């Protein structure tokens, strides 16, 4: 399903001497209509071939014109959907950004200063100026294994490999178990970083149906049963805890059934556990239920602080040598300062203390959300620091544009769709980053827009159609 373009195709006026080419005239016409507001932010522009036919110009001219406008920041391409207006209206000064999924700020200046003071005594110029192993020192890997133990994953330190952030770890996981062309199964609406990695690796993406606990076993079984014998086995990418964007968290029975199906069909799983601190204390990751086939990925920036940019991948033991080679080919080493900070916080108990504070603050912020937004529209009962309001894509896109005018910034709903043709999406609202007062103001603005749109009650209660 493609949205119709509201723009009436035209070329800019040609000078009397006839010197301006069709390319320049098309760029000028579009730029004028976008900057004047005649074509609103988020509006879809006509497809390349359609515009070329309507204006009687070459297809290459349209392609070059759209590229020129994209370089100027006036439009942006959405893979599989087309070209959309980026807009030029300045954002209000008191804008609230709910598009970045980061944890609440639980670090004090005093704690950070004390940590850096300790690191200054440990880090000399010689060690700072030297390369270290790209996968972390044995001490750091052992400490990370202990941290993962707190997240219910019991694993040998030899299987724990450090990376430059969780996104790097995820890219290593894809390179490790999903050769180019491998079909990737995932949730119908999934993490944009994983969607991007899959598409860059030329992996056909198949989005599977979900409910309030995340991936439906019936949908996974149907996809696996439909696999042709000649096709390579697919790979499952899944986030069992606080799924991004929906916030769904699997219960134990759901996890056991997913693990059983993956064993029965002999497929490999990439488990994204970056929100591990929000899992119930008795809820094991999939890597504990099927350790021989799960590549576990996590990190510290999403659950402690964005400044602690440290990722981890823990593959089955047989895949460790190849994973090490991929890490060494894609990153020389993690930051010495970040590595030492990780060591310090894992050793002195700072990391678990921060995680506890973040969980407590997440509860407080979720209570605020549920006091302001309609409970029926919130897709999942999980209480992390993002939530999902499911709704048709056109409605979600219209709300994002309207809220941007109010100074509330939300991510484009197209970013979360595994299938570019999916006509259903929603609003992901990240509640961790802004100050509490700003968050409350933004939530009231969202509620006002929801009420004005008179969205159907089913959009939030039944989940996905």
């Amino acid at each position: 399903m493609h949205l119709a373009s509201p723009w009436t195709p035209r070329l800019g006026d040609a000078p009397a001497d006839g010197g301006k080419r069709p390319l320049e005239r098309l760029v000028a016409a579009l730029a004028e209509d976008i900057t004047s507001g005649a074509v609103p932010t988020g509006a879809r522009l006509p497809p390349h071939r359609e515009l070329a036919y309507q204006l009687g110009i070459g297809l290459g001219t349209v392609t070059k014109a759209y590229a020129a406008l994209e370089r100027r920041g006036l439009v942006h391409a959405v893979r599989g959907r087309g070209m959309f207006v980026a807009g030029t209206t300045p954002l209000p000064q008191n804008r609230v950004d709910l598009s970045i999924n980061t944890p609440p700020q639980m670090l004090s200046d005093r704690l950070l200063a004390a940590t850096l003071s300790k690191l200054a005594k440990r880090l000399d110029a010689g060690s700072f100026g030297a390369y270290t192993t790209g996968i972390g020192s044995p001490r750091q890997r052992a400490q990370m294994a202990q941290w993962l133990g707190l997240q219910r994953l019991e694993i040998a330190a030899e299987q724990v490999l450090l990376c430059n952030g969780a996104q790097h770890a995820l890219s290593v996981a894809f390179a490790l178990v999903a050769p180019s062309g491998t079909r990737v199964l995932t949730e119908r609406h999934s993490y944009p970083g994983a969607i991007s990695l899959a598409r860059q690796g030329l992996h056909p993406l198949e989005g599977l149906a979900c409910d309030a606990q995340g991936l439906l076993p019936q949908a996974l079984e149907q996809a696996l049963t439909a696999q042709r014998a000649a096709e390579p086995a697919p790979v499952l990418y899944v986030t069992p805890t606080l799924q991004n964007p929906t916030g769904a968290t699997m219960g134990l029975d759901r996890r056991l059934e997913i693990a059983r199906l993956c064993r029965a069909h002999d497929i490999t799983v990439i488990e994204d556990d970056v929100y591990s601190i929000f899992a119930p204390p008795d809820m094991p990751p999939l890597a504990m239920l099927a350790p021989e086939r799960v590549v576990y990925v996590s990190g510290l920036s999403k659950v402690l602080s964005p400044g602690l940019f440290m990722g981890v991948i823990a593959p089955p033991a047989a895949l460790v040598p190849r994973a090490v080679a991929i890490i060494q080919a894609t990153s020389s080493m993690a930051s010495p300062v970040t590595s030492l900070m990780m060591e310090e916080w894992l050793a002195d108990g700072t990391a678990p203390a921060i995680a506890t504070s973040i969980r407590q603050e997440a509860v407080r912020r979720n209570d605020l959300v549920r006091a302001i937004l309609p409970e029926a529209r919130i897709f999942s009962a999980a209480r992390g620091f993002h939530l999902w309001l499911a709704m048709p894509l056109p409605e979600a896109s219209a709300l994002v544009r309207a809220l941007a005018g109010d100074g509330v910034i939300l991510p484009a709903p197209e970013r979360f769709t595994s299938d570019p043709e999916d006509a259903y999406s929603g609003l992901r609202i990240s509640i961790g980053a802004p100050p509490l007062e700003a968050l409350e103001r933004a939530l009231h603005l969202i509620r006002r827009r929801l009420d004005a749109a008179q969205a159907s009650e089913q959009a939030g209660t039944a989940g996905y159609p």
Side-chain angles (χ1 to χ4, degrees):
M1 172 184 174
H2 285 306
L3 302 176
S5 174
W7 186 59
T8 301
R10 68 182 183 87
L11 294 175
D13 294 336
D17 61 7
K20 188 178 287 188
R21 298 179 300 159
L23 171 61
E24 297 163 340
R25 294 173 62 195
L26 177 56
V27 170
L30 273 167
E32 179 181 343
D33 290 348
I34 290 171
T35 55
S36 70
V39 189
T41 299
R44 184 173 182 266
L45 296 181
H48 292 60
R49 291 186 183 279
E50 178 183 314
L51 183 57
Y53 175 78
Q54 289 181 329
L55 294 178
I57 59 178
L59 178 61
T61 298
V62 176
T63 300
K64 292 177 182 177
Y66 280 177
L69 292 164
E70 192 166 19
R71 287 194 296 271
R72 291 168 59 176
L74 295 178
V75 301
H76 65 96
V78 177
R79 185 183 178 94
R81 288 194 175 274
M83 193 70 69
F84 293 81
V85 175
T88 59
T89 304
L91 294 172
Q93 291 186 350
N94 62 344
R95 69 183 184 272
V96 185
D97 192 343
L98 304 183
S99 68
I100 307 299
N101 209 11
T102 59
Q105 179 56 266
M106 293 289 105
L107 293 181
S108 67
D109 292 341
R110 183 176 180 180
L111 172 60
L112 185 59
T115 300
L116 293 174
S117 178
K118 291 180 182 178
L119 298 189
K121 297 176 182 178
R122 296 181 54 189
L123 186 64
D124 56 35
S127 57
F128 183 77
Y131 281 109
T132 60
T133 175
I135 59 173
S137 69
R139 170 184 168 83
Q140 291 165 352
R141 294 167 68 190
Q143 284 182 313
M144 181 59 80
Q146 291 177 358
W147 168 257
L148 296 179
L150 297 176
Q151 318 310 316
R152 298 155 299 280
L153 176 63
E154 298 176 9
I155 193 165
E158 292 74 20
Q159 287 175 250
V160 175
L161 311 174
L162 301 187
C163 298
N164 275 299
Q167 185 67 19
H168 178 220
L170 190 57
S171 69
V172 172
F174 271 85
L176 180 64
V177 298
S180 182
T182 301
R183 185 165 54 119
V184 174
L185 309 177
T186 187
E187 298 96 345
R188 178 179 178 183
H189 295 99
S190 190
Y191 167 51
I195 292 174
S196 177
L197 280 173
R199 288 175 176 161
Q200 287 182 15
L202 302 180
H203 302 300
L205 266 176
E206 184 173 347
L208 306 179
C210 300
D211 64 6
Q213 283 196 52
L215 179 64
L216 282 167
Q218 308 94 293
L220 176 60
E221 185 170 25
Q222 184 177 357
L224 295 175
T225 303
Q227 179 187 352
R228 298 190 186 95
E231 290 179 340
V235 168
L236 173 64
Y237 166 75
V238 66
T239 306
T241 297
L242 203 66
Q243 198 267 343
N244 186 358
T246 67
T249 293
M250 293 183 184
L252 181 57
D253 289 345
R254 178 68 58 89
R255 294 173 190 237
L256 289 168
E257 181 63 7
I258 295 295
R260 184 193 70 78
L261 286 170
C262 293
R263 272 207 180 98
H265 292 269
D266 193 24
I267 69 166
T268 302
V269 181
I270 299 174
E271 179 179 17
D272 193 334
D273 202 26
V274 292
Y275 304 110
S276 58
I277 67 169
F278 292 101
D282 58 347
M283 199 62 63
L286 294 178
M288 284 295 294
L289 303 177
E292 80 286 355
R293 67 187 59 255
V294 176
V295 178
Y296 180 91
V297 170
S298 190
L300 298 180
S301 64
K302 290 291 188 184
V303 293
L304 296 179
S305 174
L308 196 61
F309 202 68
M310 182 66 67
V312 58
I313 179 173
L319 297 179
V320 167
R322 175 160 163 71
V324 171
I326 295 171
I327 292 172
Q328 291 174 337
T330 55
S331 176
S332 55
M333 66 175 184
S335 161
V337 175
T338 301
S339 300
L340 284 178
M341 184 175 288
M342 180 198 73
E343 280 190 44
E344 192 70 35
W345 283 1
L346 293 181
D348 66 8
T350 297
I354 293 175
T356 298
S357 296
I358 286 176
R359 282 192 295 266
Q360 293 170 346
E361 179 65 13
V363 170
R364 181 185 179 194
R365 289 171 180 249
N366 274 273
D367 287 343
L368 178 64
V369 167
R370 283 162 173 79
I372 298 174
L373 297 185
E375 180 77 25
R377 297 208 61 158
I378 300 173
F379 179 72
S380 171
R383 296 202 162 209
F385 44 84
H386 66 266
L387 60 136
W388 180 248
L389 306 184
M391 63 187 69
L393 178 60
E395 180 185 332
S397 297
L399 281 168
V400 168
R401 292 194 298 271
L403 286 164
D406 295 335
V408 178
I409 312 305
L410 295 173
E414 296 89 354
R415 296 181 61 203
F416 304 103
T417 55
S418 301
D419 178 1
E421 298 300 318
D422 198 337
Y424 210 77
S425 187
L427 303 182
R428 191 196 70 183
I429 304 174
S430 299
I431 62 174
L436 208 59
E437 181 181 343
L439 174 62
E440 183 174 2
R441 184 174 72 252
L443 291 173
H444 279 295
L445 289 168
I446 293 171
R447 176 61 188 260
R448 188 187 73 183
R449 288 292 182 180
L450 288 171
D451 291 345
Q454 296 181 343
S456 68
E457 185 176 341
Q458 184 182 3
T461 56
Y464 296 108

